Amino acid sequence: MDIETVGIIGAGQMGNGIAHVFAQAGYDVMLTDVDADALRAAISTIESNLGRQVSRDKITAADRDAALARIATTPTLADLGHCDLVIEAATERESVKDAIFAELVPHLKPETILTSNTSSISITRLASRTDRPEKFLGFHFMNPVPVMSLVELIRGIATDEETFATCLAVVERLGKTAATAEDFPAFIVNRILVPMINEAVYVLYEGVGNVASIDKAMRLGTNHPMGPLALADFIGLDTCLAIMNVLHDGLADTKYRPCPLLTKYVEAGWLGRKTGRGFYDYAGEAPVPTR
């Protein structure tokens, strides 16, 4: 199947990045969100990020203008019905995703491929609640989408080969690299990454090291580009907690128990960069450790 029109559900950090790379690759993009302000902010962010690429001579001004012209926005989910491929990039809550698919599916063409950018939730389970489990796939981009080269492609138990092959071709057209993952909780990247972050929170919780020491140790001791606590703030502590809960519930193993301190931060609304406070305070010019 040839993909030319792409619908993206959710205009947040992931959704606007996905819209950016699809438009830049020549696809016509329809971006939707329930929040009109989020849609306006997404276009502003995409314009800014494309402008940065122009300033670094990665693309031309004409490329930037052409990409922006390919992106349309709508607050109405049904407007995505004509798209060849739909990527859901809403919040990491299964009930929210199920509600979105229930509203959208009656408006889709029979041949439309439906995908989710979920970072941890069962693709098989999400697909089973739609009318097209054979045309449903996990399409997991890494953050920030315009910078990161990897896309995880996750087959559900019913996903057919044509759907997988079509999405693999899309990844290649985007200039990215696909890794194929089986449909188990958190797939590959987050199955490894988020428990590491959770363990770093335990090290903080138990007083083994403070925020600065933990991040410094991992940056300089293992050559990570970002410390695990700074990375947690970047991802969003609520997302980290959601993934740990999926791992703990789905695999029934106590090694995936979320750290109580991570839970406490989320309960406090200290979710990281997006709220201005997490393991670091972002109110000033430079982030300051909160512990």
Side-chain angles (χ1 to χ4, degrees):
M1 178 180 174
D2 291 329
I3 303 295
E4 296 300 334
T5 56
V6 180
I8 298 164
I9 304 166
Q13 190 175 44
M14 294 302 295
N16 74 60
I18 295 168
H20 174 150
V21 298
F22 270 92
Q24 194 173 338
Y27 293 96
D28 291 325
V29 174
M30 179 68 75
L31 179 63
T32 187
D33 198 288
V34 292
D35 185 346
D37 289 339
L39 286 173
R40 285 190 288 271
I43 295 301
S44 177
T45 298
I46 294 167
E47 187 169 7
S48 175
N49 289 339
L50 285 167
R52 189 177 297 112
Q53 289 177 287
V54 173
S55 69
R56 294 174 179 173
D57 295 324
K58 293 184 179 296
I59 62 172
T60 67
D63 292 334
R64 174 199 60 202
D65 295 343
L68 287 169
R70 294 187 193 104
I71 304 173
T73 63
T74 177
T76 306
L77 191 58
D79 288 346
L80 273 59
H82 71 284
C83 294
D84 301 322
L85 168 68
V86 174
I87 302 170
E88 172 275 314
T91 188
E92 190 69 354
R93 291 207 303 272
E94 190 166 347
S95 59
V96 171
K97 296 178 187 297
D98 285 341
I100 287 169
F101 294 138
E103 182 179 345
L104 175 65
V105 161
H107 304 283
L108 295 178
K109 301 182 296 184
E111 65 270 23
T112 295
I113 293 174
L114 191 53
T115 70
S116 177
N117 183 58
T118 178
S119 53
S120 61
I121 298 169
S122 168
I123 297 304
T124 297
R125 197 163 61 239
L126 290 173
S128 71
R129 297 166 186 151
T130 74
D131 68 342
R132 61 195 67 211
E134 72 287 351
K135 290 187 174 297
F136 197 106
L137 189 81
F139 211 146
H140 181 215
F141 289 83
M142 305 297 118
N143 186 34
V145 180
V147 175
M148 302 295 279
S149 61
L150 183 72
V151 180
E152 279 185 312
L153 293 181
I154 306 102
R155 289 184 178 96
I157 196 170
T159 306
D160 64 26
E161 190 56 39
E162 181 185 7
T163 297
F164 178 81
T166 298
C167 289
L168 180 60
V170 168
V171 172
E172 292 169 351
R173 180 170 160 183
L174 294 176
K176 296 191 180 294
T177 300
T180 305
E182 294 301 317
D183 186 23
F184 288 94
F187 320 128
I188 296 172
V189 172
N190 284 322
R191 172 78 176 265
I192 298 168
L193 174 65
V194 180
M196 183 201 75
I197 289 172
N198 191 58
E199 193 62 27
V201 182
Y202 266 115
V203 170
L204 178 65
Y205 176 62
E206 294 168 4
V208 179
N210 59 26
V211 169
S213 293
I214 293 166
D215 278 355
K216 184 188 301 179
M218 294 303 289
R219 281 189 292 106
L220 302 181
T222 62
N223 209 27
H224 288 194
M226 185 183 294
L229 300 178
L231 179 57
D233 276 359
F234 181 74
I235 294 169
L237 303 193
D238 53 339
T239 300
C240 292
L241 179 59
I243 293 169
M244 287 307 302
N245 281 326
V246 166
L247 283 165
H248 190 239
D249 295 344
L251 298 172
D253 192 324
T254 56
K255 73 179 181 180
Y256 297 115
R257 182 172 70 97
C259 179
L261 184 60
L262 178 61
T263 301
K264 185 179 290 185
Y265 269 53
V266 172
E267 289 173 345
W270 297 359
L271 307 182
R273 285 182 176 269
K274 62 186 173 184
T275 59
R277 186 180 181 94
F279 294 113
Y280 292 83
D281 188 324
Y282 299 91
E285 291 185 8
V288 177
T290 52
R291 281 177 175 253

